[in-house]
Amino acid sequence: MHTLQLAVDDFVDNSENYTQAVDLLDNGEVVAFPTETVYGLGAVATDEQAVKKIFAAKGRPSDNPLIVHIGTAEEVSLYTANISEVAKKCMEAFWPGPLTLVMHAKPNILAPSVTAGLQTVGIRMPDHPVALKLLQTLKKPLAAPSANRSGKPSPTKASHVFEDLQGIIPCILDGGRTGIGVESTVLDVTLSEPVILRPGGVTKEMLEEVIGPVLEPSFEQQKIESTPKAPGMKYTHYAPDAPVYLIDADEGIIEAAIANLKSGHKVALLAPECFKEMKADYYFSLGEAHDAEQMSAALYDALRACDKTAATIILATATSKTGVGTAIMNRLEKAAGGNWYQP
Ligand code: TXA
Ligand code: MG
């Protein structure tokens, strides 16, 4: 299969490209498109055959449900029942935006594979001009996971999608780099107390200002069987080919680690700009130190870049778990399988 790459920037008339993408989707095909978080791989969420193509293209386990994307907030009532006050407040405050709400699904409307057999569905209205234009032209909901092969870091550029899915999907809408760089916050609002199943761009602090106390299980707590979690979080994620280790963002510690590893390893270092002079074999910037937004925007590109090197070990600096730092550390802990570098 040939994979079309259609540029959709603000400077030219793109209507023909949107028409092509919409035609493909209406005909049961999949199309990759940018959102404000990461690129998604979309299919019409009511078309079971189309949705199955997403799972096949990604190599995604069938028990991992997909997020449904809508182009207007009103559509939420077509697919969900018993919308709570908490859910309404969240939509009002954070949509369009990087917040997925897990709600009670209306039966027999969405394709069964979207919800992977659950009674609930995750829905969000993305805040990206290309995603919104696509959804509003299509006038149908799009089921869309991140547009990477399962297990790999999510794509933040069209070229990342192309690397993973070239020849497997018919079309990528190229809207440039995505802004936030980590996936949306997944908030379950069907439980008596809302629970963050996956941290993201909308932080616990931001949510609590609007809806009061929110539970956010830690990496360790998420391993406990009884903790509510997103089905997808049990799978390997965000993993480059070489093993990743977390390390403190401290010059002395990093210098000693590199010196220690260098004899047997090719070392890649993912760290803020202030560490770029360290003597690693490969260095990939995570932006200015203490700038969590820059770090989240750079993270997946840096993890993916390691696969283009001969690195045999990857050291990634930790950051504080505040604001979007919580989402960054969640992804890094998963990429590293919870491992920290030990001298
Ligand atoms: O930012 C994002 O959310 C991106 C863009 C494309 O919108 N999408 C994304 O989708 O990250 P995906 O499939 O890679 O991650 C969806 C996560 C998975 O961990 C999945 O298990 C969880 O959301 N999820 C989906 N529906 C759920 C449900 N009904 N209950 C619990 N978790 C759910
Ligand atoms: Mg994903």
Side-chain angles (χ1 to χ4, degrees):
M1 181 187 292
H2 176 69
T3 302
L4 277 172
Q5 295 188 84
L6 306 176
V8 277
D9 54 46
D10 293 339
F11 305 107
V12 287
D13 175 13
N14 302 296
S15 44
E16 229 172 84
N17 290 347
Y18 284 104
T19 307
Q20 270 196 63
V22 166
D23 283 349
L24 283 165
L25 290 165
D26 271 331
N27 285 301
E29 270 307 331
V30 296
V31 170
F33 63 96
T35 79
E36 79 280 33
T37 57
V38 300
Y39 274 75
L41 181 63
V44 172
T46 50
D47 180 342
E48 175 69 3
Q49 292 315 312
V51 170
K52 282 203 166 131
K53 290 183 185 170
I54 295 178
F55 286 87
K58 284 184 55 96
R60 183 180 178 103
S62 61
D63 66 349
N64 191 4
L66 307 180
I67 293 172
V68 174
H69 298 67
I70 53 178
T72 59
E74 296 71 52
E75 285 166 69
V76 73
S77 56
L78 300 175
Y79 312 112
T80 63
N82 318 322
I83 304 172
S84 67
E85 282 311 308
V86 165
K88 284 181 192 154
K89 282 186 189 165
C90 287
M91 290 176 217
E92 179 83 9
F94 301 109
W95 281 5
L99 177 67
T100 297
L101 295 171
V102 172
M103 293 184 270
H104 300 287
K106 272 194 183 162
N108 307 322
I109 294 178
L110 296 165
S113 296
V114 170
T115 52
L118 300 174
Q119 313 277 305
T120 55
V121 59
I123 301 206
R124 82 178 190 103
M125 179 181 175
D127 187 15
H128 190 288
V130 175
L132 287 173
K133 175 95 187 266
L134 181 67
L135 286 161
Q136 289 163 9
T137 313
L138 177 70
K139 297 191 172 66
K140 291 174 187 170
L142 280 178
S146 49
N148 51 284
R149 288 283 300 171
S150 253
K152 286 285 156 195
S154 298
T156 54
K157 294 174 177 170
S159 61
H160 296 159
V161 182
F162 193 72
E163 280 160 19
D164 278 18
L165 301 175
Q166 167 191 15
I168 299 175
I169 63 170
C171 179
I172 303 169
L173 285 179
D174 181 350
R177 293 184 78 101
T178 62
I180 297 171
V182 293
E183 304 84 346
S184 63
T185 305
V186 178
L187 182 72
D188 190 335
V189 288
T190 66
L191 306 165
S192 56
E193 196 161 14
V195 182
I196 295 176
L197 303 183
R198 178 179 72 182
V202 173
T203 63
K204 179 174 196 264
E205 297 87 336
M206 289 159 75
L207 288 166
E208 289 192 329
E209 253 180 55
V210 176
I211 55 171
V214 169
L215 297 172
E216 183 169 46
S218 66
F219 184 70
E220 285 72 31
Q221 287 166 334
Q222 286 207 345
K223 290 186 190 151
I224 301 167
E225 209 39 55
S226 59
T227 307
K229 43 183 137 349
M233 298 309 265
K234 66 176 176 284
Y235 294 107
T236 313
H237 262 92
Y238 322 114
D241 297 334
V244 178
Y245 291 86
L246 280 156
I247 191 164
D248 283 321
D250 174 283
E251 217 176 287
I253 294 176
I254 295 173
E255 197 165 45
I258 292 173
N260 200 11
L261 288 167
K262 265 230 154 152
S263 52
H265 279 288
K266 289 267 184 221
V267 185
L269 175 66
L270 271 53
E273 290 286 322
C274 55
F275 299 105
K276 76 167 171 225
E277 304 301 333
M278 301 269 96
K279 301 274 179 281
D281 296 288
Y282 310 98
Y283 165 77
F284 298 104
S285 171
L286 296 179
E288 298 296 324
H290 310 300
D291 187 327
E293 275 75 29
Q294 284 190 23
M295 192 168 178
S296 70
L299 181 64
Y300 291 154
D301 195 27
L303 284 170
R304 280 178 169 267
C306 293
D307 285 350
K308 299 210 170 88
T309 70
T312 57
I313 189 165
I314 301 165
L315 299 175
T317 55
T319 189
S320 70
K321 289 184 183 175
T322 53
V324 77
T326 310
I328 295 169
M329 283 304 289
N330 169 274
R331 306 311 190 267
L332 277 175
E333 280 167 334
K334 292 225 153 54
N339 294 319
W340 284 72
Y341 173 74
Q342 311 278 0

